[in-house]
Amino acid sequence: LADQSVDILVGTKAEIRQINPNVVHEESLVNYSIRFLHDASSGREQERKILNIRKCLEKLITPAIPKEQFNLVEGKLSYYLNVDIVIMNDESGSLIDFISLAVRAAINSTRTAKVSVVYNQLKEKYETTLLSGEEVDFDDQILKFNARDVPIIVSVGYAADNILVDMLRTEELSVDSIMQCAIDAEGKLCGVYKAGACGVPLSKIQDIFSLAKLVAVKLIEKQNEAFETLAISSWLV
């Protein structure tokens, strides 16, 4: 994803693992690896940025990803998704907004081989084999992850009774508070993460959510159109 001042590269890799009963399954399905390619910040400042980005994604994006497509054996075996995020340039603001769009696109593009699962009684574990052979169509051998229900994040700033969206970095530094709103294609508010020390008046909360919804629905509609175009192009090839 490239903007005038933002360059982000996101890749995904799906793997199959046993479900750890001691870990909340839904929270561990997606693992985010984040790094800055060029950043003049100190090591501690860069770690703080990465921690904030990961926390925001885990709070707002991960819970909304459809989980049923990950399950192989309920409670026992599952696909897990590793998401690698490389931020090559972040001179603009609204970084988490761009990242959420890129993550959504990457999940939509994720492909992995379908498998059949059998339980090996001697080894007392589940084993997988690839679906292949002349009797299986190629399209039926590939698992495509669905990102249509995955929300995006819209950051809305509040300062001196003003509400700002699509903020530059200088604007982000000048606002009192930032509400990072996760909105899906239907305009549903999936979660909110607040940054900044100051509060937001209750009278402005609904205005902030309405603006975030308006922006998100339009962006997701355009991105879904791009998904359709890419799907048609790949089918024609």
Side-chain angles (χ1 to χ4, degrees), residues 69-126:
Q69 60 188 326
F70 288 81
N71 286 329
L72 286 168
V73 179
E74 186 69 33
K76 300 293 184 181
L77 200 67
S78 176
Y79 285 103
Y80 287 78
L81 199 60
N82 296 305
V83 181
D84 296 313
I85 302 169
V86 180
I87 302 160
M88 295 178 285
N89 184 19
D90 67 326
E91 293 302 316
S92 180
S94 305
L95 179 60
I96 192 65
D97 302 30
F98 288 111
I99 289 175
S100 70
L101 277 166
V103 167
R104 188 173 186 271
I107 293 174
N108 185 76
S109 301
T110 301
R111 304 287 185 271
T112 191
K114 284 185 180 180
V115 297
S116 60
V117 182
V118 295
Y119 184 72
N120 189 319
Q121 292 185 339
L122 293 177
K123 296 181 179 179
E124 295 185 341
K125 69 175 185 179
Y126 289 95

Side-chain angles (χ1 to χ4, degrees), residues 206-222:
Q206 188 58 51
D207 292 338
I208 288 174
F209 290 162
S210 296
L211 180 58
K213 174 182 175 179
L214 179 66
V215 172
V217 169
K218 288 183 177 180
L219 285 174
I220 291 175
E221 183 179 344
K222 288 183 177 296

Side-chain angles (χ1 to χ4, degrees), residues 177-230:
S177 296
I178 296 176
M179 302 281 281
Q180 292 163 333
C181 308
I183 310 285
D184 68 11
E186 302 299 322
K188 183 179 71 175
L189 180 66
C190 301
V192 179
Y193 186 81
K194 179 185 172 296
C198 299
V200 178
L202 290 176
S203 60
K204 293 295 182 182
I205 295 293
Q206 188 58 51
D207 292 338
I208 288 174
F209 290 162
S210 296
L211 180 58
K213 174 182 175 179
L214 179 66
V215 172
V217 169
K218 288 183 177 180
L219 285 174
I220 291 175
E221 183 179 344
K222 288 183 177 296
Q223 190 176 54
N224 285 344
E225 289 175 0
F227 290 166
E228 292 292 340
T229 301
L230 288 172

Side-chain angles (χ1 to χ4, degrees), residues 3-156:
D3 182 63
Q4 291 180 348
S5 304
V6 179
D7 294 289
I8 302 168
L9 180 64
V10 178
T12 59
K13 181 179 72 173
E15 60 177 315
I16 298 172
R17 298 205 305 261
Q18 300 282 339
I19 295 175
N20 185 345
N22 299 318
V23 177
V24 179
H25 180 48
E26 287 76 10
E27 294 179 0
S28 63
L29 280 176
V30 183
N31 175 62
Y32 299 98
S33 174
I34 305 164
R35 65 189 177 97
F36 287 84
L37 195 61
H38 303 291
D39 194 328
S41 305
S42 65
R44 182 172 296 181
E45 175 65 17
Q46 192 173 116
E47 288 178 7
R48 186 189 65 80
K49 287 182 181 179
I50 290 173
L51 179 62
N52 287 339
I53 292 170
R54 180 180 290 112
K55 188 184 298 184
C56 195
L57 293 172
E58 289 175 347
K59 181 180 176 64
L60 300 180
I61 300 299
T62 301
I65 296 176
K67 306 300 188 301
E68 57 277 2
Q69 60 188 326
F70 288 81
N71 286 329
L72 286 168
V73 179
E74 186 69 33
K76 300 293 184 181
L77 200 67
S78 176
Y79 285 103
Y80 287 78
L81 199 60
N82 296 305
V83 181
D84 296 313
I85 302 169
V86 180
I87 302 160
M88 295 178 285
N89 184 19
D90 67 326
E91 293 302 316
S92 180
S94 305
L95 179 60
I96 192 65
D97 302 30
F98 288 111
I99 289 175
S100 70
L101 277 166
V103 167
R104 188 173 186 271
I107 293 174
N108 185 76
S109 301
T110 301
R111 304 287 185 271
T112 191
K114 284 185 180 180
V115 297
S116 60
V117 182
V118 295
Y119 184 72
N120 189 319
Q121 292 185 339
L122 293 177
K123 296 181 179 179
E124 295 185 341
K125 69 175 185 179
Y126 289 95
E127 296 180 342
T128 60
T129 56
L130 296 176
L131 289 178
S132 60
E134 294 181 357
E135 69 280 3
V136 182
D137 292 337
F138 178 76
D139 286 344
D140 293 330
Q141 300 175 30
I142 304 298
L143 175 65
K144 302 175 182 179
F145 285 85
N146 175 26
R148 295 308 179 100
D149 295 326
V150 177
I152 64 170
I153 297 171
V154 177
S155 299
V156 184

